[in-house]
Each structure stands twice: as structure tokens, then as C-alpha cells.
Amino acid sequence: MTSAEKRSISAWLEASARIVDVGDEAPFLREARSQALATLSGQSLPTRRLESWKYTSLNEIAKIEWAAPRGPLQKNQELPATPLSRQAGLRAGLIDGRFVTEPETPKYQGARLVSLSETRTGELAPSGCLDVLGQVADLKRHFFTALNTALLDDGACLEIEPNAQIAEPIHLSIVDSKSQTLSCPRLALKAGAGSRATLVIEHLTFGDGPRLAAFVSEIIVEPQAELDLILVQREESESFLASNLYARLEQHGRLRVHTLTLGGRLVRNEVVSELAGQGAEVDLRGLFIGSEDRHIDHQTTIDHAVSHCTSRELYKGVLGDSSRGVFCGRIIVRPDAQKTDSQQSNPNLLLGEKAEIDTQPQLEIYADDVRCSHGSTIGRLDPEALFYLQSRAIGPESARAILTRGFAQEIVETVPKAVGHPQLESLIAGALEAATAQAFGEGP
Amino acid sequence: MLEIKNLHANAGDEPILRGIDLEIAAGEVHAVMGPNGSGKSTLSNILAGRPGYSVTHGEVLYAGQDLTQLEPEERAREGIFLAFQYPVEIPGVSNNYFLKASVNAVRAHRGEPELDAMEFLALSQEKMKAVDMPADLMNRSINEGFSGGEKKRNEVLQMLLLEPQLSILDETDSGLDIDALRVVAQGVNSLRSPDRAMLVITHYQRLLDYIVPDRVHVLSAGRIVRSGGKDLALELEEKGYGWIEEASA
Ligand SMILES: Nc1ncnc2c1ncn2[C@@H]1O[C@H](COP(=O)(O)OP(=O)(O)O)[C@@H](O)[C@H]1O
Ligand SMILES: [Mg+2]
């Protein structure tokens, strides 16, 4: 089959069932793919009849015919530079799923960022990534993870060496460059014991036309390692993104994920983290900003498998126009997970008359000595705060803009400084402007 | 500067002010005292234009114009300032950003050039010294996690930065220790001038030892039941509000 061939997703599924391996695959990859193919056989795109897709319709995706870019990478692909990537030390990209690096990658102390296809031919063989790939993701539960795995032939492997302390952010751009194209970017990441690092994953699209990215990341945070992930989702307005992130945290491992959803037509985020070692801490923070009729869906699962783990979760939504948000926060506390300390909160700001949010916690607690709290709010701007600013000579339009930025700022504050706060703030300001243009356009 | 004539006003749907007459000329400081619930904050909210408070009868003129026609931000630009009894906490918005936006909104209205970051820094540092405010409060979110005293200092700082024509202080002294009280009073006194006026609302006489008023009014159940010179405050302190309420009953 050629890379230009376009099919509906269901036709892709049928075709992929017939894809036999391309020959040079390492056995582990062949196995992962054949499992994914088996899982997908007879399946189609999830529909709203499924509980986990109740609020999100994939009809638009089903209607489009997609090309899936396989085969060799085009020559001279360049990594796009962005304000965020300029803050990075080590960087690479997945362009239409294909690993691209800078022409001359300097040797980097403490971290290796290489192509999955290199891994697979065994040339560099960062063994760490082989422990991760296919080991953390849940093929059975998540359609787009199965799809990604079935079509997998490249990706990024990031290995942070044990005890490496990397202050500069590492940057991975995920670029969808072609219209009407399905890409399956993949990341395997191992944060070695006692290491400390920050990875920025920035989603971009270039040009017009719909794109569909089924992005899967798998992460293992080894004992005492500390990892910061910043997902910056800022695709163009015709893009579809399913981002499925799976993390396993070992003893005293710490993971903080900031998911900033600033663009895209439909974005579905699955974040699944398993607290598998005592003393592990996960902190999930999200900011999602909707304008026009964009749709942003967050599904998170925090699985407290053992005792003495901590989880924090704060997702903030700003929804303008007729945009729609979904937040479903599942927290599982297994029978052994005594002394669990878990907090979840999802405050939302509805700015558009027709904007909507569906928010629900889902607590499954099977241990008794635990502290779990959760809460969500849906509101408009605080009239007291608005009056306070106005009483200080600030006009209502500016006052609303200031308060909305203030609402979002809480999420930015915890991003490591080295990522570039001014850069992030300006991206967020752009998204907020779009979300508030109509709502605040005419002041009273 | 301020003329209030037979003012009746509601808080929500409740009639609270029942016929207030009050005139404050430029250069004067007036104190309004009264028991809790007598309508002191309602009066200050009416003057500042807080939503939810409405004039049902009478007039409020500021510099000759009908104040009730102006939006809150227009009143502020025209030189009215209310120091809130309960300053609002606003997470995520730095005090520094807020105050600069505020000062520049007033300057723009006056046709003065906006201050840039450096100019504002110099100005704010000078005024912060005057209210004895720790520097880090500028980089924190507005009033978030501030102590009671810090919030009140922040109000006075804003007043000093905006240099209003008419300052209304709503129980700025409540809950302050004596040092903080002095700082607040110094700030207020430093603004006193022949072309500015002040309305100092307080529950206790104590503040008036430091801010000596030209006139004192006693508010009870939405009416000014007594007016006099600064000695009225002392008399009130001595005899308590019961005395006024009985006298006016
Ligand atoms: N927004 C409101 N809606 C209804 N009643 C109010 C409102 N604000 C104040 N009140 C009532 O008005 C009365 C006067 O309150 P206030 O002006 O705050 O008094 P003071 O400041 O003198 O203590 C009180 O009985 C209070 O409960
Ligand atoms: Mg009061």
C-alpha cells in the first residue's frame, strides 16, 4: 500500500488486520503489534454508547478518509523551532510519527533521545526503552492505543540515566504536517532511579486540513526519580488528537504532568498513572481552554496500588463560545493502599452562553485508612473580584480578562521555570483571547 | 465636593438607608460612626457603585454631577476611592500587575502618559515604604493569604498610589493593632490637602485620635441621628451607642 492511500478508519482497521510484519521488526515489536491487531479485530471507532465516550462523539473522524503515512521519512525534514523548543537542551521531534532529530545532535549528559526504529534494529539498543514499550499501555481499554500500536513503526525513546540531574528541559515536538493524515506518534520514556528531568511535549500542526494523531506515551518512573512532563497541545482548529499517556511510578518516584490544551478541534486525553511503589507521588495538573465549538475531553485514572502514596489532581477549564469540556477523574484505591492521600479538584469557568462542561469524579476506594477528597465547580467570574478591579479604575473588559488569566495562572505557576513561563503565558494568553473574544466583547 | 440629599437606598431588596443628608467640602475629613448593621457599608457601597445596591430616592452629587449615573470604574477614574472593609482575594493576579493596571487606567483618564515597569516600580516602592509593607507582597496574588493587617495596608497603598479626590475608608481600622493603625492614619493624613476630601467610617473612636475629623456623624438604622465636631466621637465612646439610639428613638 502507498502512503497516499486514504481510507476511513474502519477500512484502516480491516486493512491493518491484514498487515503482516514489515520484516525487520524486533520480536517484541511484532508481538505488541499482533496483540493490538487481535484486539482491534472486529472493532470500530468507539461510539457514545460506551460509558467512557458518553460525552465525546467521533462521528467527524469516522466521516473523513485518512492516509496513514508509512514508509521512509522524506529527506530534509526539519525540526520546527518554537519559543518553547528554544528553551530546551536536548530536542527531537516526531513528524507524522517519524523520529526526526537535529542534524548534529550533541552528546548529551545523562539522557538519550533516539528513534524507536534504531532501537528495534538493535544499533543503539537503549535497553531501557525496551522495558517500557508495550509494557505500560493498556491496549484493551483504549481504542487509540490499540490503533497506535497496530500501526506502529517508529517513535521516540527517551532514557534518563540513573541519578542524572537535568535542569534544562528536553523537548519533543509532535508535528502533523499533512492534511487528512493519521499519524501514530509514540514515546517510551524511562526515568532512571534517582534522576531528575523535565520533558516538554509540544503538539503542532502546519497548514490547513484535518489531521488525526493517536499519540501514546509510556513512562516508567524508577525509584526516587522525579519527572516533570509538560504537554502543550496547540494544534490548529481542524486537528483531532487522542493523547494517551501511561505512567508507572515505583518507590518514591515522583511524576508531575501539566496538560495545557490550547488548540485543536477535538482533543481527548487519557492519563493513566499507576502508583506501584510505596511513597510514590503523582500530580496531574491541567488547563484547558475552549473557544468556538471545540471539544476537550480529559479522562484520568490514578491507581493507588500500594500504601503510602500521594496523588494530587487539579484541572481547570475555561470554556468560551459553544465549546465543550469533559472531565472524568477516576481514582482507584486498592485494598493494600492504606494511608493513601488523594485530592482531586476541577474548577471550571464557563464564559460562553452555550459552553458546557461535564465533570465527574469516580472514586473506587477499597481501603479504609485513606484520605480522599474531590470537588468540582462550574462558575462564572467572581462578581466581587470584578467589582474590586472596577473600583480601582479598571474597565470591565480588562477586569474580566485579568481575572480569566488569573484563573489560568495557577496551573502555570507550578511548571518548572526553565520551561519558559513567559513563552507559556503568551501561548495561553492567545488561547484565552480566542475564548473570551465573544464573551467579553461587549462590556456592560 | 460630595452632596448627599435625602438618600434612600436598598441593599438587595432591603431598604437600608432612610434619608441621609451629608455634605463634604473639599479639604474636609468627615467621620461616620455607628453600630453594626446601621448602614455604614451600604453608604460606602452606594458611593462606590457596588452592584446589588440601589438608590431608591434622593440624590448623590459628586463635583456637581449625578454619581449614580457612573460605572464603578468611571467613579474611580474621576477620583473616588473606597478602601474595602473586606478586601477581596484574587488568586493568580499579582498585586504588582493589578496596581500598575489601576494606576495607568487613572493616568490614561487624566491624559497622562502610562508608567512603564521601571517607573511604576519606583513609585510603588516609595508608597510601600509609607505603609510599611513588605516588598514580597507586590509579587503575591492580590490579598491572597495576606493577614488582616496586610490587606488593610494594601488598601491604603492603593489609595496612596491613586491619589483620589474623595477617599472613603470603610472600617479600615477594624482588627488592626496600634502600630498598623498608626500606619494607616499616617497614610490618610499624608493625603489630606485643601482639594481632597475624606469619609472615614469607623466603629471605634480610637482611629479618630490619629485622623482628626472636621465633622462626626452618627448613623443609626439608616439615618444620621446626630452630627457634631470631633468631640462627639469622645462622647459616643464614653456613653456608648445605646445613648444615641435612646436619644433618637
Ligand atoms: N446585599 C445585601 N442584601 C440584603 N441585606 C443587606 C445586604 N448588605 C447588607 N445588608 C443588610 O443591611 C444592613 C446594614 O448593613 P451594613 O451597611 O453592612 O452595616 P454596617 O456596615 O453599618 O455594619 C444589615 O442589616 C445587613 O444585614
Ligand atoms: Mg460595615
Side-chain angles (χ1 to χ4, degrees):
Chain A
M1 79 190 67
T2 68
S3 65
E5 199 174 338
K6 289 189 171 65
R7 306 157 187 245
S8 71
I9 293 287
S10 43
W12 268 115
L13 292 177
E14 270 168 45
S16 59
R18 294 194 300 269
I19 299 174
V20 275
D21 80 35
V22 259
D24 60 346
E25 281 176 335
F28 77 93
L29 198 55
R30 191 179 309 143
E31 197 184 305
R33 286 182 26 129
S34 72
Q35 269 182 23
L37 287 170
T39 307
L40 285 171
S41 88
Q43 273 206 47
S44 58
L45 275 173
T47 68
R48 295 183 53 184
R49 281 194 293 276
L50 292 166
E51 182 61 27
S52 59
W53 289 92
K54 197 159 118 190
Y55 300 110
T56 298
S57 161
L58 298 176
N59 279 346
E60 283 185 50
I61 292 176
K63 278 190 217 137
I64 298 171
E65 303 219 313
W66 302 97
R70 288 175 67 88
L73 182 69
Q74 286 177 359
K75 282 234 157 57
N76 305 322
Q77 279 280 21
E78 263 187 53
L79 261 183
T82 68
L84 288 174
S85 75
R86 290 191 191 96
Q87 309 302 310
L90 184 59
R91 57 177 301 228
L94 290 171
I95 300 185
D96 304 316
R98 288 299 198 156
F99 188 85
V100 177
T101 182
E102 287 177 304
E104 309 228 334
T105 315
K107 273 239 175 287
Y108 203 85
Q109 200 70 37
R112 277 200 293 183
L113 180 54
V114 299
S115 160
L116 176 61
S117 54
E118 286 171 45
T119 310
R120 146 183 130 186
T121 54
E123 275 169 36
L124 291 177
S127 57
C129 291
L130 300 190
D131 302 343
V132 180
L133 192 76
Q135 300 304 304
V136 199
D138 190 340
L139 286 177
K140 296 220 164 58
R141 240 178 81 203
H142 301 129
F143 174 84
F144 284 107
T145 300
L147 183 69
N148 173 294
T149 309
L151 299 175
L152 185 64
D153 73 340
D154 199 359
C157 287
L158 173 60
E159 195 180 358
I160 315 285
E161 285 168 20
N163 298 316
Q165 307 288 309
I166 304 173
E168 271 180 316
I170 301 166
H171 189 278
L172 182 69
S173 337
I174 310 250
V175 183
D176 291 317
S177 76
K178 300 193 189 82
S179 179
Q180 248 177 288
T181 297
L182 160 67
S183 69
C184 294
R186 182 102 180 190
L187 166 70
L189 193 172
K190 182 159 166 179
S195 67
R196 225 173 139 167
T198 301
L199 172 66
V200 177
I201 300 175
E202 189 176 12
H203 290 265
L204 303 162
T205 41
F206 291 126
D208 298 327
R211 332 290 144 117
L212 169 57
F215 174 48
V216 174
S217 8
E218 290 179 276
I219 296 160
I220 290 180
V221 179
E222 288 195 333
Q224 329 280 349
E226 217 179 302
L227 180 66
D228 255 295
L229 280 184
I230 297 91
L231 276 60
V232 184
Q233 302 173 331
R234 53 184 202 96
E235 302 86 344
E236 298 300 324
S237 57
E238 289 180 88
S239 291
F240 300 94
L241 168 66
S243 169
N244 293 0
L245 187 151
Y246 304 85
R248 181 185 303 147
L249 281 73
E250 294 171 355
Q251 272 184 41
H252 294 282
R254 290 168 71 173
L255 171 69
R256 192 161 52 171
V257 185
H258 286 85
T259 305
L260 310 174
T261 310
L262 312 177
R265 161 120 203 84
L266 185 157
V267 178
R268 162 93 166 191
N269 277 294
E270 288 278 357
V271 177
V272 180
S273 58
E274 185 194 356
L275 294 157
Q278 290 188 345
E281 294 176 28
V282 68
D283 189 359
L284 305 182
R285 299 171 69 87
L287 172 65
F288 51 106
I289 301 171
S291 57
E292 296 169 353
D293 58 351
R294 294 173 182 207
H295 187 104
I296 303 160
D297 179 346
H298 289 289
Q299 305 279 322
T300 67
T301 305
I302 295 175
D303 188 345
H304 284 264
V306 297
S307 68
H308 293 94
C309 291
T310 304
S311 62
R312 292 285 178 270
E313 197 171 11
L314 173 67
Y315 275 73
K316 294 183 110 174
V318 179
L319 298 166
D321 304 328
S322 56
S323 63
R324 185 135 190 211
V326 180
F327 174 80
C328 177
R330 184 169 177 220
I331 300 199
I332 306 167
V333 181
R334 308 246 173 219
D336 286 341
Q338 300 295 359
K339 306 284 178 196
T340 285
D341 176 0
S342 163
Q343 285 175 17
Q344 179 188 80
S345 137
N346 170 227
N348 298 288
L349 208 47
L350 281 191
L351 299 175
E353 290 288 328
K354 294 188 191 138
E356 272 183 59
I357 175 88
D358 290 288
T359 169
Q360 67 182 115
Q362 212 174 310
L363 305 186
E364 297 165 36
I365 300 173
Y366 306 106
D368 45 25
D369 185 11
V370 301
R371 283 209 325 225
C372 293
S373 72
H374 65 88
S376 67
T377 57
I378 301 171
R380 314 223 164 231
L381 293 171
D382 175 10
E384 294 288 314
L386 211 50
F387 173 64
Y388 192 63
L389 297 187
Q390 280 180 268
S391 79
R392 299 300 182 249
I394 298 168
E397 261 177 60
S398 314
R400 290 193 185 98
I402 288 173
L403 292 181
T404 309
R405 242 180 299 145
F407 179 82
Q409 186 61 27
E410 187 181 3
I411 300 297
V412 183
E413 265 158 21
T414 46
V415 172
K417 285 271 185 290
V419 169
H421 278 207
Q423 289 80 354
L424 278 182
E425 280 163 16
S426 100
L427 291 176
I428 289 167
L432 286 177
E433 229 163 84
T436 56
Q438 269 203 334
F440 301 168
E442 63 243 47
Chain B
M1 176 171 296
L2 181 70
E3 291 170 77
I4 301 176
K5 294 179 190 161
N6 192 25
L7 172 67
H8 289 69
N10 283 6
D13 296 325
E14 288 290 312
I16 304 296
L17 301 184
R18 305 154 188 273
I20 292 203
D21 289 287
L22 180 63
E23 248 185 70
I24 306 180
E28 291 180 351
V29 172
H30 287 225
V32 169
M33 301 181 71
N36 281 330
S38 57
K40 303 185 299 293
S41 292
T42 302
L43 177 62
S44 59
N45 287 329
I46 285 283
L47 294 176
R50 184 191 285 263
Y53 292 80
S54 53
V55 172
T56 52
H57 198 76
E59 273 192 313
V60 183
L61 299 178
Y62 170 70
Q65 59 176 329
D66 179 1
L67 193 60
T68 60
Q69 294 305 307
L70 299 182
E71 297 296 334
E73 69 277 11
E74 292 169 328
R75 300 180 195 205
R77 291 169 193 165
E78 293 288 338
I80 291 185
F81 179 89
L82 167 65
F84 283 49
Q85 182 175 4
Y86 303 109
V88 185
E89 298 193 7
I90 307 184
V93 181
S94 89
N95 214 17
N96 184 64
Y97 181 88
F98 159 58
L99 295 179
K100 181 163 165 276
S102 170
V103 166
N104 280 333
V106 169
R107 291 181 66 92
H109 181 73
R110 290 180 187 156
E112 295 165 2
E114 295 197 353
L115 298 183
D116 65 24
M118 290 310 290
E119 291 164 330
F120 180 73
L121 182 70
L123 178 69
S124 62
Q125 281 179 342
E126 175 202 325
K127 304 294 184 192
M128 281 173 76
K129 227 178 268 162
V131 292
D132 207 5
M133 199 159 114
D136 76 296
L137 291 190
M138 273 317 245
N139 299 320
R140 301 234 313 256
S141 294
I142 304 170
N143 292 325
E144 195 186 33
F146 285 25
S147 70
E150 286 171 341
K151 284 181 183 168
K152 295 299 174 80
R153 279 168 211 245
N154 203 22
E155 294 294 291
V156 176
L157 171 69
Q158 292 168 39
M159 186 176 77
L160 296 181
L161 283 168
L162 297 178
E163 300 184 328
Q165 294 303 114
L166 173 64
S167 305
I168 305 154
L169 289 95
D170 190 358
E171 294 205 31
T172 303
D173 54 330
S174 292
L176 294 188
D177 61 31
I178 201 74
D179 291 334
L181 194 73
R182 275 204 200 102
V183 165
V184 167
Q186 268 166 24
V188 171
N189 288 331
S190 74
L191 268 188
R192 280 180 95 148
S193 79
D195 58 345
R196 288 190 228 280
M198 304 198 182
L199 181 60
V200 179
I201 294 172
T202 180
H203 187 70
Y204 307 102
Q205 185 274 334
R206 194 174 64 148
L207 179 68
L208 304 181
D209 288 341
Y210 299 94
I211 305 172
V212 180
D214 298 297
R215 300 283 292 164
V216 175
H217 310 277
V218 181
L219 195 62
S220 172
R223 283 197 190 91
I224 291 179
V225 293
R226 191 123 179 188
S227 294
K230 61 179 192 301
D231 296 341
L232 177 58
L234 293 168
E235 203 175 343
L236 205 59
E237 174 85 346
E238 200 177 299
K239 299 182 178 166
Y241 285 115
W243 160 64
I244 288 289
E245 275 159 4
E246 276 162 37
S248 64

